[in-house]
Amino acid sequence: MRLLFELDRKDYADCTRRYVRDSARSIIIRDKKVAMIHSLRYDYYKFPGGGIHEDENPVDAMIRETQEEAGLVVIPSSVREYGYVHRIQKSDDDPSTCFVQDNYYYLCQAQKDIVAQSLDDYESKEQFTLEFIDPKEVIQRNREAASGPKKWTMVKEREARILEMLISEGLLTE
């Protein structure tokens, strides 16, 4: 899978431990809009997806997480690799730990019907809501959103850059 870009804060020189938690995310486009998870609490957007369990491959994790967070049932035969983003930074929770993550993105389609979300505690607190939204609106809102925990700053920028790449490569058109 191709490396799309790296997000590296270079703030981890004093870290003595590494915490690795890779993730897998879906890119679902319908009628020139993209499926995004909107955190109503902090007003930012992210692609549906999340952490890969030890016993999972990235595609299975993406399918599971997309259904849990968004209620979208991915059609497995439609899944295509898009690329990954490598992220590294000092942990916001533990200054002695370096957080490392590869975020795998997959272009795919989902069934038309939406099923119930299955959110964990933090996702419920953030009031995760599925929206099909214009990508340029997401880019603007993610870059302007000042609220929310510090750890979401890189997530907001990552998603904005992915959307810009999709637009520049003609995968999302106006």
Side-chain angles (χ1 to χ4, degrees), residues 95-106:
S96 69
T97 301
C98 176
F99 178 73
V100 180
Q101 184 176 60
D102 285 334
N103 301 270
Y104 300 98
Y105 288 82
Y106 296 90

Side-chain angles (χ1 to χ4, degrees), residues 23-90:
S23 74
R25 307 192 175 282
S26 62
I27 302 170
I28 300 170
I29 302 165
R30 286 187 187 162
D31 302 320
K32 300 180 183 180
K33 295 187 176 190
V34 64
M36 300 295 289
I37 298 299
H38 185 190
S39 168
L40 298 179
R41 182 174 183 186
Y42 296 117
D43 195 27
Y44 71 89
Y45 288 88
K46 70 180 211 66
F47 285 95
I52 301 169
H53 295 161
E54 277 188 39
D55 61 342
E56 279 183 312
N57 67 54
V59 172
D60 289 341
M62 178 273 298
I63 290 171
R64 176 185 53 76
E65 284 281 350
T66 298
Q67 185 166 338
E68 289 175 2
E69 284 190 356
L72 292 171
V73 179
V74 171
I75 301 167
S77 62
S78 72
V79 176
R80 297 180 325 193
E81 290 182 355
Y82 181 64
Y84 75 98
V85 175
H86 182 70
R87 175 180 166 196
I88 184 168
Q89 69 186 80
K90 180 171 33 177

Side-chain angles (χ1 to χ4, degrees), residues 2 6 27 30 33 35 40 48 50 56 81 108 115 126 136 151 153 161 163 167 169 171:
R2 72 177 172 147
E6 291 186 356
I27 302 170
R30 286 187 187 162
K33 295 187 176 190
L40 298 179
E56 279 183 312
E81 290 182 355
C108 55
V115 301
E126 287 204 28
K136 289 186 177 181
K151 66 182 175 183
T153 304
R161 288 180 63 183
L163 288 166
I167 292 167
E169 293 172 3
L171 296 167

